[in-house]
Amino acid sequence: MPLSKRALAEFFGTFWLVFGGCGSAVLAAAFPSLGIGFVGVALAFGLTVLTMAFAIGHISGCHLNPAVSVGLVVGGRFKISDLPAYVIAQVLGAISASGVLYLIASGKPGFSLAGGFASNGYADHSPGGYSLLACLIAEVVLTAFFLLVILGSTDERAPKGLAPIAIGLCLTLIHLISIPVTNTSVNPARSTGPAIFVGGWALGQLWLFWVAPIVGAILGGAISRTFFAVSDEEIDLVVSASPASLGEAIE
């Protein structure tokens, strides 16, 4: 598949992630009496990844996230030469989704960007008032484990066809943990889109939501490649092994 088509798939996939995830936060989280709350927003983010994994996973790999792309490079699953095109497409998709979301949200009387527009933040702009250090640690750890789940569930030895479910549920869990801490990033593109429209403090704090997820992704990719990756010969051995000897082959 040409890089241009794969990058275009990443653009649309990231658009869907930001529009669906941030859209649920901006439009539905606190809707009068029937708001979906944190749980609903967490599920929305997970569903965007789950649905797009089936839609474009066979085209681009469905990264939807610069940190994931970096982690896959470190994990030996993605060519570094393709990284710039993916990151640019992901960021543009996130900005475009935020723009469409702004047009919709601003159609309601009383709408104000002062509400944060689903931006990520720390300290005074953390939903729960968490410190910079706490937010940094949360984003690094959660992104690292996100990469471990992605790399593990897409491994040749993993059950086939279930990776989108594992990855979508993992992102849901990540949001359930960290919405009160940072409003959950683990994705620099997702953070960039809303921050551009909010400006001010959101742009001033955006650096954290590039640095921490990328550091976490590098750690996750390195851990996976160092401790859990196997050679092609070992994979062939496991695949060709009989059920009786499968346990020995893995060991």
Side-chain angles (χ1 to χ4, degrees):
M1 184 72 68
L3 179 58
S4 59
K5 289 188 176 181
R6 289 186 283 131
L8 186 61
E10 286 294 305
F11 172 89
F12 286 114
T14 311
F15 182 104
W16 184 235
L17 181 144
V18 173
F19 185 74
C22 295
S24 69
V26 172
L27 303 176
F31 192 81
S33 74
L34 293 176
I36 61 174
F38 284 177
V39 174
V41 173
L43 185 59
F45 272 100
L47 288 173
T48 62
V49 172
L50 173 62
T51 52
M52 270 297 140
F54 283 113
I56 67 169
H58 57 289
I59 299 171
S60 68
C62 193
H63 300 186
L64 317 185
N65 182 338
V68 168
S69 297
V70 170
L72 292 175
V73 169
V74 175
R77 302 280 192 87
F78 187 59
K79 295 190 298 184
I80 194 170
S81 59
D82 292 347
L83 183 61
Y86 268 54
V87 171
I88 291 170
Q90 291 157 358
V91 172
L92 290 178
I95 294 171
S96 299
S98 298
V100 173
L101 179 58
Y102 176 78
L103 291 175
I104 296 171
S106 61
K108 179 181 179 180
F111 168 76
S112 172
L113 289 171
F117 197 53
S119 292
N120 301 114
Y122 57 83
D124 291 341
H125 298 288
S126 158
Y130 287 83
S131 68
L132 169 59
L133 180 60
C135 294
L136 173 66
I137 293 172
E139 290 288 330
V140 169
V141 171
L142 291 172
T143 311
F145 275 89
F146 192 32
L147 263 294
L148 287 175
V149 171
I150 291 170
L151 288 164
S153 63
T154 56
D155 191 281
E156 287 290 335
R157 298 160 292 169
K160 304 302 179 186
L162 299 180
I165 298 173
I167 296 167
L169 289 176
C170 181
L171 189 60
T172 299
L173 175 59
I174 286 170
H175 279 77
L176 289 173
I177 295 168
S178 62
I179 287 177
V181 183
T182 63
N183 215 21
T184 309
S185 173
V186 301
N187 184 337
R190 169 263 183 271
S191 299
T192 299
I196 285 178
F197 287 85
V198 174
W201 68 264
L203 284 177
Q205 295 191 352
L206 181 60
W207 66 270
L208 177 68
F209 304 105
W210 276 85
V211 172
I214 288 176
V215 170
I218 291 171
L219 288 174
I223 291 169
S224 179
R225 189 168 189 172
T226 301
F227 297 108
F228 306 127
V230 296
S231 65
D232 291 340
E233 291 77 9
E234 289 173 305
I235 291 174
D236 291 339
L237 178 62
V238 172
V239 170
S240 62
S242 66
S245 62
L246 185 57
E248 294 181 12
I250 292 175
E251 291 175 357

